[in-house]
Amino acid sequence: MTDPLHSDLLALAQEAARQAGGLLRDGRPADLAVAATKSSPIDVVTEMDIAAEKLITGLIADRRPDDGFLGEEGASVEGSSGVRWVIDPLDGTVNYLYGLPTWSVSIAAEQDGERVVGVVAAPMRGETYHAIRGGGAWAAGAWDGERRLTCRPAPPLEQALVSTGFNYVTEVRAHQADVAQKLIPLLRDIRRGGSAAVDLCDVACGRLDGYYERGLHPWDMAAGDLIAREAGALTGGRPGEAPSNALTVAATPGVFEPLQRLLEDFGAWHD
Protein backbone atom coordinates (compact mmCIF):
# COMPACT_ATOMS: atom_id res chain seq x y z
CA MET A 1 0.00 0.00 0.00
CA THR A 2 1.39 3.38 -1.03
CA ASP A 3 2.13 5.87 1.73
CA PRO A 4 -0.40 8.74 1.37
CA LEU A 5 2.45 11.24 1.81
CA HIS A 6 4.32 9.72 -1.11
CA SER A 7 1.20 9.91 -3.27
CA ASP A 8 0.86 13.59 -2.39
CA LEU A 9 4.53 14.23 -3.18
CA LEU A 10 4.14 12.47 -6.53
CA ALA A 11 1.11 14.55 -7.49
CA LEU A 12 2.94 17.75 -6.60
CA ALA A 13 6.06 16.71 -8.53
CA GLN A 14 3.96 15.85 -11.57
CA GLU A 15 2.20 19.21 -11.46
CA ALA A 16 5.48 21.10 -11.08
CA ALA A 17 7.16 19.14 -13.89
CA ARG A 18 4.20 19.70 -16.20
CA GLN A 19 4.16 23.44 -15.59
CA ALA A 20 7.93 23.80 -15.91
CA GLY A 21 7.97 21.69 -19.06
CA GLY A 22 5.27 23.86 -20.57
CA LEU A 23 7.18 27.01 -19.68
CA LEU A 24 10.34 25.70 -21.34
CA ARG A 25 8.55 24.36 -24.41
CA ASP A 26 6.37 27.40 -25.04
CA GLY A 27 8.93 30.00 -23.95
CA ARG A 28 11.76 28.84 -26.20
CA PRO A 29 12.37 31.43 -28.95
CA ALA A 30 11.74 29.95 -32.40
CA ASP A 31 15.03 31.28 -33.75
CA LEU A 32 17.19 30.08 -30.85
CA ALA A 33 18.95 27.35 -32.87
CA VAL A 34 19.78 29.74 -35.73
CA ALA A 35 22.11 31.74 -33.50
CA ALA A 36 23.32 28.76 -31.48
CA THR A 37 26.99 29.71 -31.74
CA LYS A 38 26.52 33.17 -30.26
CA SER A 39 26.57 34.07 -26.58
CA SER A 40 23.09 35.57 -26.40
CA PRO A 41 21.17 32.31 -27.03
CA ILE A 42 23.15 30.66 -24.22
CA ASP A 43 22.05 33.50 -21.96
CA VAL A 44 18.45 32.85 -23.03
CA VAL A 45 18.79 29.16 -22.13
CA THR A 46 20.24 30.10 -18.72
CA GLU A 47 17.34 32.47 -18.12
CA MET A 48 14.82 29.76 -19.05
CA ASP A 49 16.63 27.27 -16.80
CA ILE A 50 16.48 29.65 -13.84
CA ALA A 51 12.86 30.57 -14.54
CA ALA A 52 11.87 26.89 -14.60
CA GLU A 53 13.60 26.23 -11.28
CA LYS A 54 11.92 29.25 -9.70
CA LEU A 55 8.55 28.02 -10.95
CA ILE A 56 9.15 24.56 -9.46
CA THR A 57 10.47 25.72 -6.10
CA GLY A 58 7.83 28.42 -5.82
CA LEU A 59 4.98 26.00 -6.48
CA ILE A 60 6.31 23.42 -4.04
CA ALA A 61 7.19 25.94 -1.32
CA ASP A 62 3.69 27.40 -1.54
CA ARG A 63 2.16 23.97 -0.83
CA ARG A 64 4.90 22.64 1.50
CA PRO A 65 6.78 25.56 3.07
CA ASP A 66 8.83 23.41 5.46
CA ASP A 67 10.48 21.23 2.80
CA GLY A 68 14.11 21.49 1.70
CA PHE A 69 15.52 21.93 -1.81
CA LEU A 70 18.60 21.04 -3.80
CA GLY A 71 18.57 22.40 -7.35
CA GLU A 72 20.99 22.74 -10.23
CA GLU A 73 20.43 26.48 -10.49
CA GLY A 74 21.25 27.22 -6.88
CA ALA A 75 18.20 26.27 -4.85
CA SER A 76 19.58 25.09 -1.51
CA VAL A 77 17.29 25.07 1.52
CA GLU A 78 17.63 22.75 4.52
CA GLY A 79 13.96 22.52 5.46
CA SER A 80 12.51 21.06 8.66
CA SER A 81 9.92 18.52 7.44
CA GLY A 82 12.29 15.68 6.56
CA VAL A 83 11.39 16.04 2.88
CA ARG A 84 13.88 17.42 0.36
CA TRP A 85 13.29 18.06 -3.33
CA VAL A 86 16.15 17.43 -5.79
CA ILE A 87 15.54 19.38 -8.99
CA ASP A 88 17.05 19.65 -12.45
CA PRO A 89 14.81 22.18 -14.18
CA LEU A 90 16.36 21.60 -17.62
CA ASP A 91 18.39 18.44 -18.17
CA GLY A 92 19.84 18.49 -21.68
CA THR A 93 20.50 22.22 -22.11
CA VAL A 94 22.56 21.83 -25.31
CA ASN A 95 19.76 19.80 -26.90
CA TYR A 96 17.33 22.52 -25.85
CA LEU A 97 19.60 25.20 -27.30
CA TYR A 98 19.80 23.47 -30.68
CA GLY A 99 16.15 22.47 -30.88
CA LEU A 100 16.73 18.75 -30.34
CA PRO A 101 13.84 17.03 -28.54
CA THR A 102 15.77 15.11 -25.86
CA TRP A 103 15.60 17.41 -22.86
CA SER A 104 13.64 17.05 -19.66
CA VAL A 105 12.53 18.36 -16.30
CA SER A 106 13.62 16.11 -13.43
CA ILE A 107 12.12 16.29 -9.93
CA ALA A 108 12.73 13.84 -7.07
CA ALA A 109 11.55 13.88 -3.47
CA GLU A 110 13.55 12.41 -0.59
CA GLN A 111 12.14 11.59 2.84
CA ASP A 112 14.65 11.40 5.69
CA GLY A 113 17.44 11.02 3.15
CA GLU A 114 15.81 8.23 1.15
CA ARG A 115 14.48 8.83 -2.35
CA VAL A 116 10.75 8.08 -2.47
CA VAL A 117 9.38 9.85 -5.58
CA GLY A 118 10.78 10.59 -9.03
CA VAL A 119 9.26 12.40 -12.02
CA VAL A 120 10.90 13.10 -15.37
CA ALA A 121 8.92 15.08 -17.95
CA ALA A 122 10.10 15.07 -21.58
CA PRO A 123 7.73 17.55 -23.23
CA MET A 124 9.00 17.21 -26.81
CA ARG A 125 8.54 13.43 -26.57
CA GLY A 126 5.07 13.87 -25.16
CA GLU A 127 5.98 11.58 -22.26
CA THR A 128 6.29 11.81 -18.49
CA TYR A 129 7.85 9.05 -16.39
CA HIS A 130 7.32 8.56 -12.67
CA ALA A 131 7.94 6.19 -9.79
CA ILE A 132 7.13 5.82 -6.10
CA ARG A 133 9.51 3.69 -4.05
CA GLY A 134 8.07 0.19 -3.97
CA GLY A 135 5.27 1.08 -6.39
CA GLY A 136 6.85 0.42 -9.76
CA ALA A 137 7.70 2.79 -12.59
CA TRP A 138 5.21 4.23 -15.05
CA ALA A 139 5.06 6.35 -18.19
CA ALA A 140 2.23 8.51 -19.43
CA GLY A 141 2.24 9.44 -23.10
CA ALA A 142 0.18 11.75 -25.25
CA TRP A 143 -0.71 8.82 -27.53
CA ASP A 144 -0.87 5.64 -25.45
CA GLY A 145 -2.02 6.59 -21.96
CA GLU A 146 -0.32 5.32 -18.81
CA ARG A 147 1.71 2.10 -18.85
CA ARG A 148 3.91 0.26 -16.40
CA LEU A 149 7.61 0.19 -17.27
CA THR A 150 9.81 -2.89 -17.29
CA CYS A 151 13.41 -2.95 -18.43
CA ARG A 152 14.38 -5.28 -21.26
CA PRO A 153 15.37 -8.91 -20.74
CA ALA A 154 19.15 -9.05 -20.75
CA PRO A 155 20.76 -9.78 -24.11
CA PRO A 156 24.33 -11.06 -24.36
CA LEU A 157 26.65 -8.12 -23.74
CA GLU A 158 27.76 -8.05 -27.38
CA GLN A 159 24.11 -7.37 -28.33
CA ALA A 160 23.52 -4.67 -25.71
CA LEU A 161 22.65 -1.11 -26.73
CA VAL A 162 24.20 1.29 -24.22
CA SER A 163 24.06 5.06 -23.87
CA THR A 164 26.55 7.45 -22.31
CA GLY A 165 27.34 11.15 -21.94
CA PHE A 166 30.41 13.34 -22.19
CA ASN A 167 31.79 16.05 -19.94
CA TYR A 168 32.28 19.63 -21.08
CA VAL A 169 35.91 19.66 -19.87
CA THR A 170 38.10 18.78 -22.86
CA GLU A 171 40.54 16.51 -21.01
CA VAL A 172 37.77 14.58 -19.29
CA ARG A 173 35.83 14.25 -22.55
CA ALA A 174 38.92 12.88 -24.31
CA HIS A 175 39.30 10.19 -21.66
CA GLN A 176 35.61 9.34 -21.93
CA ALA A 177 36.03 8.96 -25.69
CA ASP A 178 38.89 6.52 -25.10
CA VAL A 179 36.67 4.43 -22.82
CA ALA A 180 33.85 4.46 -25.39
CA GLN A 181 36.29 3.41 -28.12
CA LYS A 182 37.26 0.36 -26.05
CA LEU A 183 33.64 -0.50 -25.30
CA ILE A 184 32.16 -0.20 -28.81
CA PRO A 185 33.63 -3.46 -30.18
CA LEU A 186 32.19 -5.31 -27.16
CA LEU A 187 28.59 -4.01 -27.53
CA ARG A 188 25.90 -3.72 -30.16
CA ASP A 189 26.49 0.04 -30.18
CA ILE A 190 26.71 3.18 -28.06
CA ARG A 191 24.25 6.07 -28.14
CA ARG A 192 24.68 9.61 -26.82
CA GLY A 193 21.29 11.10 -25.92
CA GLY A 194 22.27 14.30 -24.12
CA SER A 195 19.96 14.06 -21.09
CA ALA A 196 20.97 11.77 -18.23
CA ALA A 197 17.43 11.76 -16.84
CA VAL A 198 15.97 10.64 -20.17
CA ASP A 199 18.69 8.00 -20.64
CA LEU A 200 17.83 6.51 -17.25
CA CYS A 201 14.15 6.49 -18.17
CA ASP A 202 14.98 4.84 -21.50
CA VAL A 203 16.62 2.01 -19.55
CA ALA A 204 13.38 1.76 -17.57
CA CYS A 205 11.32 1.75 -20.79
CA GLY A 206 13.41 -0.99 -22.40
CA ARG A 207 14.71 1.33 -25.09
CA LEU A 208 18.26 0.87 -23.84
CA ASP A 209 19.98 -2.10 -22.25
CA GLY A 210 22.30 0.11 -20.23
CA TYR A 211 23.65 3.57 -19.52
CA TYR A 212 26.77 4.92 -17.87
CA GLU A 213 28.27 8.35 -17.30
CA ARG A 214 30.93 10.02 -15.24
CA GLY A 215 30.43 13.45 -13.66
CA LEU A 216 26.71 13.42 -12.82
CA HIS A 217 25.37 15.53 -9.97
CA PRO A 218 22.56 14.46 -7.62
CA TRP A 219 19.98 16.46 -9.56
CA ASP A 220 20.96 14.77 -12.85
CA MET A 221 20.21 11.26 -11.60
CA ALA A 222 17.85 11.54 -8.62
CA ALA A 223 14.52 10.97 -10.35
CA GLY A 224 15.79 8.82 -13.22
CA ASP A 225 17.69 6.46 -10.93
CA LEU A 226 14.55 5.68 -8.93
CA ILE A 227 12.49 5.21 -12.11
CA ALA A 228 15.07 2.81 -13.56
CA ARG A 229 15.28 0.78 -10.35
CA GLU A 230 11.51 0.55 -9.99
CA ALA A 231 11.38 -0.78 -13.56
CA GLY A 232 13.71 -3.60 -12.54
CA ALA A 233 17.07 -2.17 -13.58
CA LEU A 234 20.15 -2.30 -11.41
CA THR A 235 21.98 0.94 -10.66
CA GLY A 236 25.31 1.72 -9.04
CA GLY A 237 28.69 3.32 -9.46
CA ARG A 238 32.02 1.58 -9.14
CA PRO A 239 31.69 -2.02 -7.92
CA GLY A 240 30.15 -2.04 -4.45
CA GLU A 241 29.33 1.67 -4.54
CA ALA A 242 26.20 3.75 -5.13
CA PRO A 243 25.84 6.00 -8.20
CA SER A 244 28.03 9.07 -7.76
CA ASN A 245 29.87 11.86 -9.50
CA ALA A 246 32.70 9.38 -10.15
CA LEU A 247 30.49 6.97 -12.09
CA THR A 248 26.83 6.16 -12.61
CA VAL A 249 25.77 2.87 -14.20
CA ALA A 250 22.22 1.65 -14.86
CA ALA A 251 21.34 -1.48 -16.80
CA THR A 252 19.05 -4.44 -17.01
CA PRO A 253 20.19 -7.33 -14.76
CA GLY A 254 22.61 -9.46 -16.72
CA VAL A 255 24.06 -6.46 -18.52
CA PHE A 256 24.77 -4.40 -15.41
CA GLU A 257 27.47 -6.62 -13.93
CA PRO A 258 29.64 -7.17 -17.03
CA LEU A 259 29.24 -3.53 -18.09
CA GLN A 260 30.25 -2.31 -14.65
CA ARG A 261 33.29 -4.61 -14.67
CA LEU A 262 34.41 -3.33 -18.07
CA LEU A 263 34.02 0.28 -16.97
CA GLU A 264 36.13 -0.46 -13.91
CA ASP A 265 38.80 -2.18 -16.03
CA PHE A 266 38.85 0.71 -18.50
CA GLY A 267 39.08 3.34 -15.74
CA ALA A 268 35.84 5.09 -16.69
CA TRP A 269 35.76 6.75 -13.27
CA HIS A 270 38.96 8.83 -13.53
CA ASP A 271 40.91 11.11 -15.88
mmCIF file of all heavy atoms in Angstrom, residues 16-51:
data_model
loop_
_atom_site.group_PDB
_atom_site.id
_atom_site.type_symbol
_atom_site.label_atom_id
_atom_site.label_comp_id
_atom_site.label_asym_id
_atom_site.label_seq_id
_atom_site.Cartn_x
_atom_site.Cartn_y
_atom_site.Cartn_z
ATOM 1 N N ALA A 16 4.351 20.185 -10.890
ATOM 2 C CA ALA A 16 5.476 21.105 -11.080
ATOM 3 C C ALA A 16 6.224 20.798 -12.371
ATOM 4 O O ALA A 16 6.614 21.715 -13.113
ATOM 5 C CB ALA A 16 6.419 21.030 -9.885
ATOM 6 N N ALA A 17 6.453 19.519 -12.665
ATOM 7 C CA ALA A 17 7.157 19.140 -13.889
ATOM 8 C C ALA A 17 6.344 19.520 -15.122
ATOM 9 O O ALA A 17 6.908 19.979 -16.132
ATOM 10 C CB ALA A 17 7.446 17.643 -13.884
ATOM 11 N N ARG A 18 5.045 19.339 -15.056
ATOM 12 C CA ARG A 18 4.196 19.699 -16.197
ATOM 13 C C ARG A 18 4.237 21.202 -16.460
ATOM 14 O O ARG A 18 4.401 21.645 -17.613
ATOM 15 C CB ARG A 18 2.751 19.265 -15.927
ATOM 16 C CG ARG A 18 1.825 19.530 -17.116
ATOM 17 C CD ARG A 18 0.400 19.150 -16.824
ATOM 18 N NE ARG A 18 -0.209 20.040 -15.825
ATOM 19 C CZ ARG A 18 -0.485 19.689 -14.587
ATOM 20 N NH1 ARG A 18 -0.217 18.478 -14.155
ATOM 21 N NH2 ARG A 18 -1.033 20.549 -13.763
ATOM 22 N N GLN A 19 4.136 21.994 -15.401
ATOM 23 C CA GLN A 19 4.156 23.443 -15.591
ATOM 24 C C GLN A 19 5.516 23.931 -16.071
ATOM 25 O O GLN A 19 5.610 24.777 -16.970
ATOM 26 C CB GLN A 19 3.773 24.140 -14.288
ATOM 27 C CG GLN A 19 2.314 23.973 -13.901
ATOM 28 C CD GLN A 19 1.899 24.926 -12.791
ATOM 29 O OE1 GLN A 19 2.481 25.985 -12.606
ATOM 30 N NE2 GLN A 19 0.862 24.549 -12.043
ATOM 31 N N ALA A 20 6.593 23.386 -15.491
ATOM 32 C CA ALA A 20 7.934 23.802 -15.908
ATOM 33 C C ALA A 20 8.210 23.363 -17.339
ATOM 34 O O ALA A 20 8.816 24.113 -18.128
ATOM 35 C CB ALA A 20 8.981 23.229 -14.959
ATOM 36 N N GLY A 21 7.792 22.152 -17.689
ATOM 37 C CA GLY A 21 7.968 21.686 -19.060
ATOM 38 C C GLY A 21 7.229 22.549 -20.058
ATOM 39 O O GLY A 21 7.749 22.859 -21.141
ATOM 40 N N GLY A 22 6.023 22.966 -19.694
ATOM 41 C CA GLY A 22 5.266 23.855 -20.569
ATOM 42 C C GLY A 22 5.928 25.214 -20.726
ATOM 43 O O GLY A 22 5.972 25.784 -21.827
ATOM 44 N N LEU A 23 6.461 25.737 -19.633
ATOM 45 C CA LEU A 23 7.183 27.011 -19.685
ATOM 46 C C LEU A 23 8.380 26.918 -20.629
ATOM 47 O O LEU A 23 8.592 27.804 -21.470
ATOM 48 C CB LEU A 23 7.659 27.386 -18.281
ATOM 49 C CG LEU A 23 8.607 28.587 -18.182
ATOM 50 C CD1 LEU A 23 7.859 29.884 -18.440
ATOM 51 C CD2 LEU A 23 9.274 28.634 -16.814
ATOM 52 N N LEU A 24 9.155 25.859 -20.496
ATOM 53 C CA LEU A 24 10.344 25.699 -21.336
ATOM 54 C C LEU A 24 9.973 25.466 -22.795
ATOM 55 O O LEU A 24 10.602 26.024 -23.710
ATOM 56 C CB LEU A 24 11.181 24.529 -20.816
ATOM 57 C CG LEU A 24 11.856 24.761 -19.462
ATOM 58 C CD1 LEU A 24 12.328 23.441 -18.864
ATOM 59 C CD2 LEU A 24 13.030 25.728 -19.602
ATOM 60 N N ARG A 25 8.977 24.664 -23.037
ATOM 61 C CA ARG A 25 8.549 24.365 -24.413
ATOM 62 C C ARG A 25 7.981 25.603 -25.089
ATOM 63 O O ARG A 25 8.376 25.959 -26.205
ATOM 64 C CB ARG A 25 7.506 23.245 -24.395
ATOM 65 C CG ARG A 25 7.002 22.832 -25.778
ATOM 66 C CD ARG A 25 5.757 21.968 -25.656
ATOM 67 N NE ARG A 25 4.681 22.707 -25.003
ATOM 68 C CZ ARG A 25 3.939 22.209 -24.009
ATOM 69 N NH1 ARG A 25 4.178 20.995 -23.541
ATOM 70 N NH2 ARG A 25 2.960 22.927 -23.468
ATOM 71 N N ASP A 26 7.063 26.273 -24.416
ATOM 72 C CA ASP A 26 6.369 27.398 -25.042
ATOM 73 C C ASP A 26 7.182 28.680 -25.012
ATOM 74 O O ASP A 26 6.961 29.576 -25.837
ATOM 75 C CB ASP A 26 5.025 27.625 -24.335
ATOM 76 C CG ASP A 26 4.111 26.400 -24.413
ATOM 77 O OD1 ASP A 26 4.311 25.574 -25.339
ATOM 78 O OD2 ASP A 26 3.226 26.271 -23.559
ATOM 79 N N GLY A 27 8.145 28.770 -24.074
ATOM 80 C CA GLY A 27 8.930 29.996 -23.952
ATOM 81 C C GLY A 27 10.208 30.005 -24.756
ATOM 82 O O GLY A 27 10.896 31.031 -24.816
ATOM 83 N N ARG A 28 10.529 28.896 -25.404
ATOM 84 C CA ARG A 28 11.761 28.841 -26.199
ATOM 85 C C ARG A 28 11.596 29.654 -27.479
ATOM 86 O O ARG A 28 10.701 29.387 -28.272
ATOM 87 C CB ARG A 28 12.099 27.387 -26.550
ATOM 88 C CG ARG A 28 13.405 27.236 -27.329
ATOM 89 C CD ARG A 28 13.626 25.791 -27.762
ATOM 90 N NE ARG A 28 14.871 25.667 -28.491
ATOM 91 C CZ ARG A 28 15.004 25.948 -29.787
ATOM 92 N NH1 ARG A 28 13.973 26.375 -30.485
ATOM 93 N NH2 ARG A 28 16.189 25.806 -30.369
ATOM 94 N N PRO A 29 12.470 30.642 -27.711
ATOM 95 C CA PRO A 29 12.372 31.431 -28.947
ATOM 96 C C PRO A 29 12.533 30.541 -30.171
ATOM 97 O O PRO A 29 13.398 29.650 -30.203
ATOM 98 C CB PRO A 29 13.538 32.426 -28.828
ATOM 99 C CG PRO A 29 13.827 32.504 -27.370
ATOM 100 C CD PRO A 29 13.531 31.143 -26.823
ATOM 101 N N ALA A 30 11.723 30.792 -31.200
ATOM 102 C CA ALA A 30 11.740 29.948 -32.396
ATOM 103 C C ALA A 30 13.072 30.007 -33.130
ATOM 104 O O ALA A 30 13.466 29.047 -33.797
ATOM 105 C CB ALA A 30 10.608 30.364 -33.334
ATOM 106 N N ASP A 31 13.777 31.129 -33.011
ATOM 107 C CA ASP A 31 15.027 31.282 -33.751
ATOM 108 C C ASP A 31 16.253 30.975 -32.897
ATOM 109 O O ASP A 31 17.375 31.304 -33.271
ATOM 110 C CB ASP A 31 15.148 32.699 -34.317
ATOM 111 C CG ASP A 31 15.155 33.769 -33.220
ATOM 112 O OD1 ASP A 31 14.852 33.424 -32.056
ATOM 113 O OD2 ASP A 31 15.460 34.929 -33.533
ATOM 114 N N LEU A 32 16.082 30.316 -31.770
ATOM 115 C CA LEU A 32 17.194 30.078 -30.848
ATOM 116 C C LEU A 32 18.301 29.264 -31.511
ATOM 117 O O LEU A 32 19.481 29.571 -31.375
ATOM 118 C CB LEU A 32 16.691 29.360 -29.602
ATOM 119 C CG LEU A 32 17.663 29.259 -28.419
ATOM 120 C CD1 LEU A 32 18.085 30.632 -27.930
ATOM 121 C CD2 LEU A 32 17.031 28.469 -27.287
ATOM 122 N N ALA A 33 17.937 28.219 -32.266
ATOM 123 C CA ALA A 33 18.946 27.350 -32.873
ATOM 124 C C ALA A 33 19.726 28.052 -33.974
ATOM 125 O O ALA A 33 20.876 27.723 -34.241
ATOM 126 C CB ALA A 33 18.289 26.091 -33.434
ATOM 127 N N VAL A 34 19.120 29.037 -34.625
ATOM 128 C CA VAL A 34 19.783 29.735 -35.730
ATOM 129 C C VAL A 34 21.037 30.431 -35.248
ATOM 130 O O VAL A 34 22.066 30.467 -35.928
ATOM 131 C CB VAL A 34 18.825 30.756 -36.380
ATOM 132 C CG1 VAL A 34 19.541 31.554 -37.455
ATOM 133 C CG2 VAL A 34 17.621 30.033 -36.959
ATOM 134 N N ALA A 35 20.977 30.984 -34.060
ATOM 135 C CA ALA A 35 22.110 31.738 -33.504
ATOM 136 C C ALA A 35 22.818 30.947 -32.417
ATOM 137 O O ALA A 35 23.370 31.501 -31.485
ATOM 138 C CB ALA A 35 21.618 33.064 -32.943
ATOM 139 N N ALA A 36 22.847 29.624 -32.567
ATOM 140 C CA ALA A 36 23.322 28.760 -31.484
ATOM 141 C C ALA A 36 24.802 28.907 -31.163
ATOM 142 O O ALA A 36 25.250 28.453 -30.128
ATOM 143 C CB ALA A 36 23.031 27.298 -31.819
ATOM 144 N N THR A 37 25.574 29.539 -32.028
ATOM 145 C CA THR A 37 26.994 29.709 -31.744
ATOM 146 C C THR A 37 27.301 31.037 -31.078
ATOM 147 O O THR A 37 28.448 31.322 -30.757
ATOM 148 C CB THR A 37 27.812 29.599 -33.043
ATOM 149 O OG1 THR A 37 27.367 30.603 -33.967
ATOM 150 C CG2 THR A 37 27.654 28.214 -33.665
ATOM 151 N N LYS A 38 26.314 31.877 -30.888
ATOM 152 C CA LYS A 38 26.518 33.173 -30.258
ATOM 153 C C LYS A 38 26.270 33.073 -28.761
ATOM 154 O O LYS A 38 25.677 32.118 -28.272
ATOM 155 C CB LYS A 38 25.578 34.214 -30.890
ATOM 156 C CG LYS A 38 25.804 34.387 -32.395
ATOM 157 C CD LYS A 38 24.828 35.406 -32.963
ATOM 158 C CE LYS A 38 25.014 35.577 -34.461
ATOM 159 N NZ LYS A 38 24.041 36.531 -35.038
ATOM 160 N N SER A 39 26.713 34.103 -28.033
ATOM 161 C CA SER A 39 26.568 34.069 -26.581
ATOM 162 C C SER A 39 25.148 34.351 -26.138
ATOM 163 O O SER A 39 24.693 33.817 -25.130
ATOM 164 C CB SER A 39 27.517 35.082 -25.943
ATOM 165 O OG SER A 39 27.207 36.392 -26.370
ATOM 166 N N SER A 40 24.419 35.171 -26.858
ATOM 167 C CA SER A 40 23.091 35.571 -26.399
ATOM 168 C C SER A 40 22.113 34.410 -26.283
ATOM 169 O O SER A 40 21.339 34.367 -25.324
ATOM 170 C CB SER A 40 22.505 36.658 -27.307
ATOM 171 O OG SER A 40 22.471 36.233 -28.656
ATOM 172 N N PRO A 41 22.092 33.434 -27.225
ATOM 173 C CA PRO A 41 21.174 32.309 -27.027
ATOM 174 C C PRO A 41 21.487 31.517 -25.766
ATOM 175 O O PRO A 41 20.581 31.013 -25.107
ATOM 176 C CB PRO A 41 21.401 31.453 -28.288
ATOM 177 C CG PRO A 41 21.942 32.381 -29.291
ATOM 178 C CD PRO A 41 22.781 33.362 -28.523
ATOM 179 N N ILE A 42 22.785 31.372 -25.438
ATOM 180 C CA ILE A 42 23.148 30.661 -24.216
ATOM 181 C C ILE A 42 22.588 31.388 -23.007
ATOM 182 O O ILE A 42 22.105 30.778 -22.060
ATOM 183 C CB ILE A 42 24.677 30.509 -24.129
ATOM 184 C CG1 ILE A 42 25.180 29.636 -25.286
ATOM 185 C CG2 ILE A 42 25.093 29.896 -22.796
ATOM 186 C CD1 ILE A 42 26.669 29.590 -25.441
ATOM 187 N N ASP A 43 22.631 32.722 -23.046
ATOM 188 C CA ASP A 43 22.047 33.505 -21.964
ATOM 189 C C ASP A 43 20.544 33.251 -21.862
ATOM 190 O O ASP A 43 19.998 33.168 -20.765
ATOM 191 C CB ASP A 43 22.302 35.000 -22.187
ATOM 192 C CG ASP A 43 23.777 35.359 -22.091
ATOM 193 O OD1 ASP A 43 24.528 34.580 -21.471
ATOM 194 O OD2 ASP A 43 24.167 36.394 -22.647
ATOM 195 N N VAL A 44 19.890 33.122 -23.021
ATOM 196 C CA VAL A 44 18.449 32.852 -23.031
ATOM 197 C C VAL A 44 18.173 31.502 -22.376
ATOM 198 O O VAL A 44 17.253 31.354 -21.562
ATOM 199 C CB VAL A 44 17.889 32.880 -24.472
ATOM 200 C CG1 VAL A 44 16.444 32.388 -24.490
ATOM 201 C CG2 VAL A 44 17.967 34.283 -25.050
ATOM 202 N N VAL A 45 18.978 30.494 -22.723
ATOM 203 C CA VAL A 45 18.788 29.165 -22.130
ATOM 204 C C VAL A 45 18.978 29.225 -20.620
ATOM 205 O O VAL A 45 18.206 28.639 -19.860
ATOM 206 C CB VAL A 45 19.755 28.144 -22.764
ATOM 207 C CG1 VAL A 45 19.692 26.822 -22.022
ATOM 208 C CG2 VAL A 45 19.419 27.936 -24.229
ATOM 209 N N THR A 46 20.008 29.954 -20.157
ATOM 210 C CA THR A 46 20.241 30.100 -18.722
ATOM 211 C C THR A 46 19.055 30.765 -18.048
ATOM 212 O O THR A 46 18.609 30.341 -16.966
ATOM 213 C CB THR A 46 21.519 30.917 -18.467
ATOM 214 O OG1 THR A 46 22.625 30.253 -19.067
ATOM 215 C CG2 THR A 46 21.781 31.075 -16.981
ATOM 216 N N GLU A 47 18.505 31.783 -18.677
ATOM 217 C CA GLU A 47 17.339 32.472 -18.122
ATOM 218 C C GLU A 47 16.140 31.527 -18.033
ATOM 219 O O GLU A 47 15.392 31.534 -17.047
ATOM 220 C CB GLU A 47 16.996 33.689 -18.983
ATOM 221 C CG GLU A 47 18.010 34.827 -18.881
ATOM 222 C CD GLU A 47 17.747 35.936 -19.879
ATOM 223 O OE1 GLU A 47 16.714 35.859 -20.581
ATOM 224 O OE2 GLU A 47 18.563 36.872 -19.967
ATOM 225 N N MET A 48 15.942 30.705 -19.063
ATOM 226 C CA MET A 48 14.825 29.761 -19.047
ATOM 227 C C MET A 48 15.037 28.706 -17.961
ATOM 228 O O MET A 48 14.089 28.310 -17.262
ATOM 229 C CB MET A 48 14.686 29.090 -20.419
ATOM 230 C CG MET A 48 14.307 30.046 -21.539
ATOM 231 S SD MET A 48 12.701 30.849 -21.266
ATOM 232 C CE MET A 48 11.605 29.443 -21.348
ATOM 233 N N ASP A 49 16.272 28.250 -17.827
ATOM 234 C CA ASP A 49 16.631 27.269 -16.803
ATOM 235 C C ASP A 49 16.295 27.808 -15.410
ATOM 236 O O ASP A 49 15.639 27.139 -14.599
ATOM 237 C CB ASP A 49 18.132 26.993 -16.914
ATOM 238 C CG ASP A 49 18.523 25.600 -16.450
ATOM 239 O OD1 ASP A 49 17.745 24.989 -15.710
ATOM 240 O OD2 ASP A 49 19.605 25.142 -16.814
ATOM 241 N N ILE A 50 16.727 29.028 -15.140
ATOM 242 C CA ILE A 50 16.482 29.649 -13.838
ATOM 243 C C ILE A 50 14.991 29.884 -13.616
ATOM 244 O O ILE A 50 14.459 29.646 -12.522
ATOM 245 C CB ILE A 50 17.268 30.973 -13.725
ATOM 246 C CG1 ILE A 50 18.778 30.682 -13.692
ATOM 247 C CG2 ILE A 50 16.849 31.755 -12.485
ATOM 248 C CD1 ILE A 50 19.650 31.913 -13.810
ATOM 249 N N ALA A 51 14.298 30.322 -14.666
ATOM 250 C CA ALA A 51 12.860 30.567 -14.543
ATOM 251 C C ALA A 51 12.112 29.275 -14.233
ATOM 252 O O ALA A 51 11.171 29.271 -13.423
ATOM 253 C CB ALA A 51 12.328 31.190 -15.835
#
